[in-house]
Amino acid sequence: MTTFIQLHLLTAYPASNLNRDDTGAPKTVTLGGTTRLRISSQSLKRAWRTSALFEDALVGHIGIRSARIGRKAADIMTANGIDDKKAVEWGTAIAACFGKPKTEKKKEDPFLLTETEQLAHISPAEFEAVKALALKLATEKRAPDAEELTLLRQDRMAVDIALFGRMLASSPAFNVEAACQVAHAFGVGETLVEDDFFTAVDDLRAKSDDAGAGHLGETGFGAALFYTYICIDRDLLLKNLHGDEALTDKTLRALVETALKVSPSGKQNSFASRAYASWALAEKGTDQPRSLAAAYYNAINGSDQLSVAVDRITALRENMNRVYGQQTDSESFNVADAQGSMAEVLDFVCA
């Protein structure tokens, strides 16, 4: 039987623009006939995997996601005496291991050919193999052979690849199925997106020259209590990490703590909208996982939003378990009532 770990988080953000659409406005979703703020799963996952907290906990086990892997190899070769033409040719061959190299040529940047069309997510072991091969080719002043261009690895997997997966269209044998699924976070209450009109003053402009502002602008923002749902297939995570129980537990602990503490980076300098989860529920069991988003299809409006949100999701979980006959162990904390603790939730998840 598969063991699933499910996390349900309620996190309150004041005025913020954590995740923008193509117009620069906060992303939204219509739910239950009302507009809610939204944070995409991609935004959440990137914030978590690139955070100092995650990196410090899992140093040496986090991958690189880039289209410039071949360019990095070419840079190493040119720094060690290989001319640009050969570095581009050999760097492009290395890039082809991870995806389709770009075909657009630019006189001002011939190294553009060493980049891939799509981002490739590679493990530290794969990145080290790329750098070692580039240095070897530069030292021996020769092109790579076919055997040397087998740079993808299935062992020593990066924890973020094990969690969030990877897809390599040109090398499907090295694809990794994601062990962690992250839903788009959404506000539990209706939100009206507002525009902040702002001005900037030119410090070197005298009032006698011009009393007006040096710059005018506006940016969208909103505030919400967000519900976030995360589902982890622990057995698949263990499999992706090649049976390393210690690394699996370390990864789970780092991911959960990061999800509780780390905010997306969008417009943080403008709004300082950093927040910890105010309430969290962790579930563990072999039953088919399910989100508890239905608790918030009817928007919660009013001053006691957090308390009502906790009551609704708790009641829905109890009803779900009763109706479907589910048996999931759980651990939770509630900051508002000083009940439980993050340490207890982390220990439960990793037990």
Side-chain angles (χ1 to χ4, degrees):
M1 299 289 287
T2 301
T3 300
F4 293 103
I5 297 167
Q6 299 178 84
L7 298 173
H8 309 270
L9 314 179
L10 290 172
T11 308
Y13 286 101
S16 62
N17 189 344
L18 297 167
N19 190 202
R20 288 166 279 175
D21 63 18
D22 56 344
T23 69
K27 288 186 176 180
T28 60
V29 61
T30 300
L31 190 66
T34 59
T35 300
R36 321 287 186 88
L37 286 185
R38 174 173 62 90
I39 305 173
S40 72
S41 58
Q42 184 177 11
S43 174
L44 292 169
K45 288 185 285 188
R46 174 160 178 80
W48 299 339
R49 64 176 287 271
T50 60
S51 69
L53 194 159
F54 195 76
E55 291 178 352
D56 290 346
L58 296 163
V59 62
H61 297 285
I62 299 174
I64 304 293
R65 193 167 180 242
S66 177
R68 297 189 163 205
I69 300 166
R71 183 186 278 265
K72 178 64 176 178
D75 289 343
I76 292 173
M77 289 185 273
T78 56
N80 286 275
I82 301 300
D83 64 63
D84 287 0
K85 183 177 180 182
K86 289 181 179 178
V88 168
E89 179 185 345
W90 301 347
T92 302
I94 291 173
C97 298
F98 305 101
K100 181 181 178 182
K102 291 182 178 179
T103 56
E104 181 183 4
K105 295 182 180 180
K106 288 186 177 181
K107 285 185 178 181
E108 65 274 18
D109 186 11
F111 288 89
L112 194 64
L113 297 175
T114 64
E115 299 181 16
T116 51
E117 295 284 357
Q118 295 83 27
L119 297 174
H121 203 165
I122 65 172
S123 69
E126 291 164 337
F127 195 38
E128 288 303 317
V130 167
K131 292 186 286 186
L133 176 58
L135 185 58
K136 181 180 182 181
L137 298 179
T139 302
E140 299 178 3
K141 294 180 171 52
R142 63 173 179 83
D145 59 38
E147 186 176 347
E148 289 173 320
L149 291 174
T150 54
L151 294 166
L152 288 165
R153 304 280 190 269
Q154 289 180 322
D155 60 339
R156 296 171 61 193
M157 183 55 61
V159 293
D160 47 342
I161 295 176
L163 282 168
F164 305 128
R166 76 172 172 188
M167 199 279 285
L168 299 168
S170 58
S171 303
F174 295 94
N175 288 349
V176 178
E177 184 180 354
C180 177
Q181 300 168 344
V182 181
H184 289 226
F186 65 87
V188 303
E190 183 176 10
T191 298
L192 298 177
V193 175
E194 302 177 68
D195 289 320
D196 176 34
F197 174 76
F198 64 89
T199 64
V201 178
D202 188 329
D203 291 341
L204 297 181
R205 180 184 293 178
K207 288 185 179 180
S208 58
D209 295 332
D210 186 349
H215 174 74
L216 305 176
E218 62 179 36
T219 185
F221 71 94
L225 175 66
F226 285 90
Y227 169 66
T228 306
Y229 173 69
I230 304 164
C231 179
I232 306 163
D233 182 333
R234 190 191 187 282
D235 297 337
L236 180 56
L237 178 61
L238 180 63
K239 177 183 175 183
N240 288 348
L241 293 175
H242 304 287
D244 190 330
E245 285 279 3
L247 184 56
T248 297
D249 286 346
K250 199 173 181 180
T251 300
L252 286 170
R253 183 174 289 270
L255 174 66
V256 176
E257 184 173 357
T258 303
L260 292 169
K261 290 182 174 180
V262 174
S263 306
S265 59
K267 289 284 186 179
Q268 285 291 359
N269 290 342
S270 299
F271 294 101
S273 47
R274 299 185 181 275
Y276 285 7
S278 296
W279 177 88
L281 168 70
E283 298 182 282
K284 186 162 54 177
T286 58
D287 282 320
Q288 177 69 27
R290 77 285 180 266
S291 167
L292 296 174
Y296 308 121
Y297 267 69
N298 291 328
I300 302 172
N301 297 311
S303 59
D304 201 16
Q305 198 174 54
L306 177 59
S307 177
V308 175
V310 171
D311 289 345
R312 279 203 197 174
I313 197 169
T314 302
L316 178 62
R317 176 178 179 267
E318 291 175 354
N319 292 343
M320 282 274 192
N321 286 350
R322 185 180 302 111
V323 171
Y324 286 97
Q326 293 184 315
Q327 298 293 326
T328 56
D329 296 328
S330 66
E331 189 67 56
S332 64
F333 69 72
N334 188 339
V335 174
D337 296 336
Q339 293 180 350
S341 70
M342 182 187 74
E344 290 172 349
V345 169
L346 294 178
D347 289 343
F348 167 78
V349 167
C350 298

